[in-house]
């Protein structure tokens, strides 16, 4: 498994679970000095930072780009892939496509988290899930054409009523039927929703394509009460070789959260 730390350049997401903020160059320097393998980028859009600058910063610190997030499509533009208005859905698809193009330049997959939206009523959930499956199939095919994956993230019940568990996510992927689409196991959401984190990871098996490595309280791994050893053991058992990406609060400060993460990474992997 490989280590990774998040960087947010989205002002609207302030206070959210990202370790480094605002300055991609400085974040890459710190991540490189601490020995991370990669960074995960949460950007306002594909034009937020030039491709040349990203390549330079990554190369200087010997990092790869693990993934790009699309949450700005929601927090900044209020777009979701399941909005009842087809015009909004079209804009949401366009935004995600532009992020897939952006990530593909650095061989990085794209994450769909909060852009999945939520059903306005319990009765509307079925239709909403259908719209989500259609969008993931279309975007997954788009990503596959660029030899990239699309990562779908189940979220806890306070953020969506569509898929809250990895098992829900696996069911959705059965509908999507596009091998380029995989699941993101975010340990913070899983701590709220899963009965047993290790068992859920085992059941999801090869569908797990990315991990948000974080503790129960959304602080860096080891700053909460999750037991990491059964989680890491299970990830080895299912043959997971991807990133453990710290999508955690910058508590008590970015550098301390990053240092805690990399220490925990070395202790547990
Ligand atoms: C949101 O809670 C989250 O976990 C992010 O990865 C999705 O944008
Ligand atoms: Mn997450």
């Amino acid at each position: 498994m490989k280590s990774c730390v998040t960087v947010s350049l989205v002002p609207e997401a302030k206070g959210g679970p990202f370790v480094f903020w605002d300055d991609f160059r400085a974040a890459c320097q710190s991540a490189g000095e601490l020995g991370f393998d990669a960074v995960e980028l949460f950007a306002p859009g594909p034009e937020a930072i030039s491709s040349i600058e990203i390549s330079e910063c990554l190369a200087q610190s010997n990092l790869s780009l693990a993934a790009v997030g699309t949450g700005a499509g929601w927090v900044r533009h209020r777009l979701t892939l399941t909005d009842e208005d087809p015009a909004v859905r079209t804009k949401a698809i366009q935004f995600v496509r532009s992020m897939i193009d952006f990530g593909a330049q650095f061989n990085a997959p794209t994450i769909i988290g909060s852009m999945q939206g939520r059903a306005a009523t319990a009765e509307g959930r079925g239709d909403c899930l259908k719209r989500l499956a259609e969008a993931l199939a279309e975007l997954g095919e788009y990503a596959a054409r660029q030899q990239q994956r699309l990562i779908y993230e189940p979220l806890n019940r306070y953020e969506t009523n569509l898929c809250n568990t990895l098992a829900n996510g696996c069911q959705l992927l059965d509908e999507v039927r596009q091998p380029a689409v995989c699941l993101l196991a975010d340990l913070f959401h899983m701590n709220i929703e899963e009965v047993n984190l290790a068992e859920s990871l085992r059941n999801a098996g090869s569908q797990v394509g990315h991990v948000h490595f974080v503790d129960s309280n959304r602080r860096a791994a080891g700053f909460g009460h999750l037991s990491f050893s059964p989680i890491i053991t299970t990830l080895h058992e299912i043959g997971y070789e991807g990133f453990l990406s710290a999508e955690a609060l910058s508590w008590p400060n970015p550098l301390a959260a990053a240092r805690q993460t990399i220490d925990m990474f070395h202790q547990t992997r």
Side-chain angles (χ1 to χ4, degrees):
M1 285 182 265
K2 295 165 284 181
S3 60
C4 177
V5 61
T6 51
V7 188
S8 171
L9 306 180
V10 181
E12 291 87 345
K14 271 279 150 71
F18 303 99
V19 173
F20 291 117
W21 288 86
D22 306 331
D23 185 339
F24 188 73
R25 189 172 288 277
C28 285
Q29 254 162 25
S30 300
E33 281 164 17
L34 288 168
F36 279 93
D37 297 310
V39 290
E40 177 180 321
L41 177 60
F42 191 74
E47 277 96 38
I49 169 166
S50 87
S51 303
I52 295 171
E53 188 174 354
I54 295 182
S55 301
E56 251 179 43
C57 295
L58 293 173
Q60 274 168 13
S61 298
N62 198 21
L63 295 163
S64 61
L65 191 65
V68 295
T70 58
W74 167 243
V75 297
R76 174 169 274 214
H77 307 292
R78 297 284 135 183
L79 299 172
T80 77
L81 297 168
T82 54
D83 197 288
E84 285 186 15
D85 181 349
V88 175
R89 296 206 297 277
T90 301
K91 280 193 193 154
I93 292 264
Q94 279 165 354
F95 181 80
V96 177
R97 279 177 186 246
S98 72
M99 293 306 282
I100 291 171
D101 294 340
F102 171 72
Q105 300 172 82
F106 313 99
N107 199 26
T110 298
I111 298 171
I112 305 292
S114 44
M115 278 200 83
Q116 68 193 274
R118 60 171 75 204
T121 61
E123 298 71 44
R125 181 170 176 266
D127 286 344
C128 220
L129 277 167
K130 245 182 238 152
R131 293 197 283 269
L132 181 57
E134 277 167 24
L136 292 178
E138 180 181 336
L139 292 166
E141 194 201 327
Y142 187 78
R145 274 192 255 138
Q146 306 190 51
Q147 287 80 49
Q148 296 305 323
R149 294 176 99 187
L150 184 71
I151 304 169
Y152 168 71
E153 178 174 25
L155 302 173
N156 75 70
R157 66 190 70 185
Y158 306 107
E159 297 188 32
T160 190
N161 51 9
L162 298 178
C163 292
N164 301 131
T165 61
L166 291 189
N168 290 158
C170 288
Q171 270 172 358
L172 180 69
L173 294 204
D174 285 346
E175 301 293 315
V176 171
R177 297 158 75 83
Q178 166 52 255
V181 186
C182 58
L183 292 181
L184 198 166
D186 180 319
L187 303 180
F188 167 75
H189 298 302
M190 289 180 69
N191 176 62
I192 295 171
E193 298 294 346
E194 308 285 355
V195 176
N196 180 314
L197 276 73
E199 210 170 291
S200 303
L201 287 165
R202 190 169 303 114
N203 292 336
S206 62
Q207 307 271 46
V208 177
H210 196 66
V211 173
H212 278 160
F213 185 59
V214 57
D215 219 315
S216 51
N217 48 9
R218 229 169 193 184
R219 290 178 180 172
F223 281 161
H225 61 68
L226 272 186
S227 299
F228 282 91
S229 141
I231 293 170
I232 301 296
T233 303
T234 307
L235 286 169
H236 282 300
E237 278 169 19
I238 64 173
Y240 180 73
E241 291 180 340
F243 292 96
L244 295 183
S245 180
E247 187 188 64
L249 297 167
S250 49
W251 184 93
N253 58 63
L255 212 52
R259 190 169 288 127
Q260 169 66 24
T261 295
I262 199 73
D263 288 349
M264 198 65 180
F265 174 81
H266 290 306
Q267 274 170 43
T268 54
R269 83 184 161 143

